[in-house]
Amino acid sequence: MKDEQIRWLADQALNEACRHIQDVIGIDTGDVAGMFFSGDNKDQIEEILREYISLELQIQRHKFNEFSGEEDNAA
C-alpha cells in the first residue's frame, strides 16, 4: 500500500469514527467535528492512524512471507 493510500485510509477512519459518534448521540451534521478535527488535532489523530495502518501492513507482510517460505532469518 502506498503512502497516499495509507493517508486516504487514515482520513476515512477518522471520518467514520466521527460519523459513528454522531450517529450514536443523534448529531445531524459534522460541523463540530469539522472544526475540532482541523489543524493539529486532525494531524495528530491521522498520524496515529497511519502508524497503526503501517504496523498492520508490516504484520500482514511478515505473516505472508512466513507462510510462503520467504521469511528472512538473517537479522
Side-chain angles (χ1 to χ4, degrees):
M1 186 174 270
K2 297 179 182 179
D3 286 344
E4 179 180 309
Q5 293 168 310
I6 292 172
R7 286 185 184 281
W8 177 85
L9 184 55
D11 181 63
Q12 293 303 304
L14 177 55
N15 290 337
E16 287 298 317
C18 290
R19 190 175 357 263
H20 177 68
I21 291 167
Q22 292 160 1
D23 287 348
V24 169
I25 61 178
I27 304 300
D28 294 328
T29 68
D31 297 347
V32 173
M35 289 186 302
F36 186 82
F37 289 108
S38 63
D40 287 343
N41 285 344
K42 181 179 182 186
D43 293 344
Q44 290 175 358
I45 295 293
E46 286 188 352
E47 175 62 26
I48 291 167
L49 291 169
R50 287 191 302 270
E51 289 175 11
Y52 165 65
I53 293 164
S54 295
L55 177 61
E56 288 285 12
L57 290 169
Q58 282 181 296
I59 291 169
Q60 183 183 40
R61 279 191 294 269
H62 174 77
K63 287 180 179 178
F64 175 80
N65 289 343
E66 191 174 68
F67 175 77
S68 66
E70 296 178 21
E71 183 67 25
D72 182 13
N73 296 321

